[in-house]
Amino acid sequence: MAGSGVDLLFGPMLIGVFFNTILYGTMVVQTYIYFQTYKRDAWWIKAFVLYLLLCETLNTGFDIGMMYEPLIVRYGTPEAVTVAPIMLSADPIMTVLISSPVQYFIAWRLKVMSNSFVLPAIIGFFATTSLIGGIATTISVTIINKYVDFHKFDGAVITWLASSAVADVIITASLVYSLVRQRTGFHATDNMINRLIRLTVQTGLITSVSATLDVTLFLAIKPPRVTVPDSILTSRSNYIWDFALSKLYSNSILSTLNARGGWKSSSSVRENILFGSQVVGEQSYKEVPTSNPHSEFTVELQATSSASSSTIKNSALSQDEPSTTRTIEPHEV
């Protein structure tokens, strides 16, 4: 099949599926770490993590089946290069069933942190629009299943990818902006906030850049059209990013959850952008509230020794949990 243009179609698809399966393994490890480390988390957060694991398992299975059909079952037949695999239609809906809940989750935490409904509402709007676009894309691929006709539902694909990218950019920018405003002038607190900003950029920009690159490649790069019997194949390089997109969302949120502890055992401060901070180690110190009117991130931290219990108080969590004080046993640290 060399020179027939088949490599321009299945090459990006196969690479994207490779990335998908590799990141699935990373997610399984992160899920294991989460359940081993945070056994006292709220039941609904645990259920959310299990939901992501279930969806990602299905997504990986669908993607593997998507490649198996044309390369094995239909190998050497005209349908292999003219008709899209049946399971290709599952990719958009599975991706948005993962990405949109992750965006809703972060929007809720932003509301808790900032006590504002504006940004969470905007993020929720674009996440919902992305969800609708993904469902529409799945329906379109199911009905219009020939590669040559895929341009007929470009609108649904653009709605899905562009809305998701916009939501991710807003999430990253708003988290960073919120943290910058919460600098207090205390050296230790500002250092912690700077670490939180770096963590936010490292995790948030992964999905932001990937989703933006996905829609940019889809819109800007006009793929070459290669004539083969009974069809015209188009190379879609955005498949490389598209099939791995859901795993980036899952790994990003799990990384954020796990960053509360277990990853940085050598650090005296274990920080997390959405859930507050923990202090471990041998030092004892306390930071008093600041008079800064924008200091909504006031945190009281206490630690006695590495072998004793640590106490954490976080004003962000206090808005949505009955108790603002949590005792962390030594085995959790």
Side-chain angles (χ1 to χ4, degrees), residues 110-167:
L110 274 172
K111 183 267 174 187
V112 171
M113 290 174 59
S114 63
N115 201 28
S116 171
F117 289 92
V118 178
L119 278 177
I122 295 175
I123 294 169
F125 169 77
F126 283 107
T128 303
T129 304
S130 175
L131 177 65
I132 295 172
I135 295 173
T137 302
T138 288
I139 296 173
S140 300
V141 174
T142 303
I143 299 173
I144 307 171
N145 61 353
K146 290 187 177 181
Y147 291 116
V148 69
D149 296 326
F150 272 15
H151 67 279
K152 294 182 179 179
F153 53 85
D154 280 357
V157 178
I158 294 172
T159 300
W160 159 34
L161 296 177
S163 298
S164 182
V166 170

Side-chain angles (χ1 to χ4, degrees), residues 188 268-269 278-280 283-287 300-303:
S268 61
V269 179
Q278 303 172 12
V279 172
V280 295
Q283 296 186 21
S284 296
Y285 62 90
K286 177 179 179 180
E287 294 206 7
E300 180 182 336
L301 303 172
Q302 296 177 339

Side-chain angles (χ1 to χ4, degrees), residues 49-116:
V49 172
L50 286 175
Y51 165 81
L52 292 178
L53 179 62
L54 174 62
C55 288
E56 291 291 16
T57 302
L58 292 174
N59 175 257
T60 301
F62 288 147
D63 280 3
I64 293 174
M66 175 189 68
M67 296 309 302
Y68 186 86
E69 182 181 340
L71 300 183
I72 305 298
V73 177
R74 294 181 179 177
Y75 179 78
T77 66
E79 289 79 11
V81 294
T82 59
V83 180
I86 295 175
M87 292 187 182
L88 177 62
S89 61
D91 178 74
I93 191 170
M94 292 306 303
T95 299
V96 295
L97 286 177
I98 295 165
S99 63
S100 291
V102 168
Q103 291 166 340
Y104 291 143
F105 182 85
I106 298 178
W108 167 72
R109 289 307 307 176
L110 274 172
K111 183 267 174 187
V112 171
M113 290 174 59
S114 63
N115 201 28
S116 171

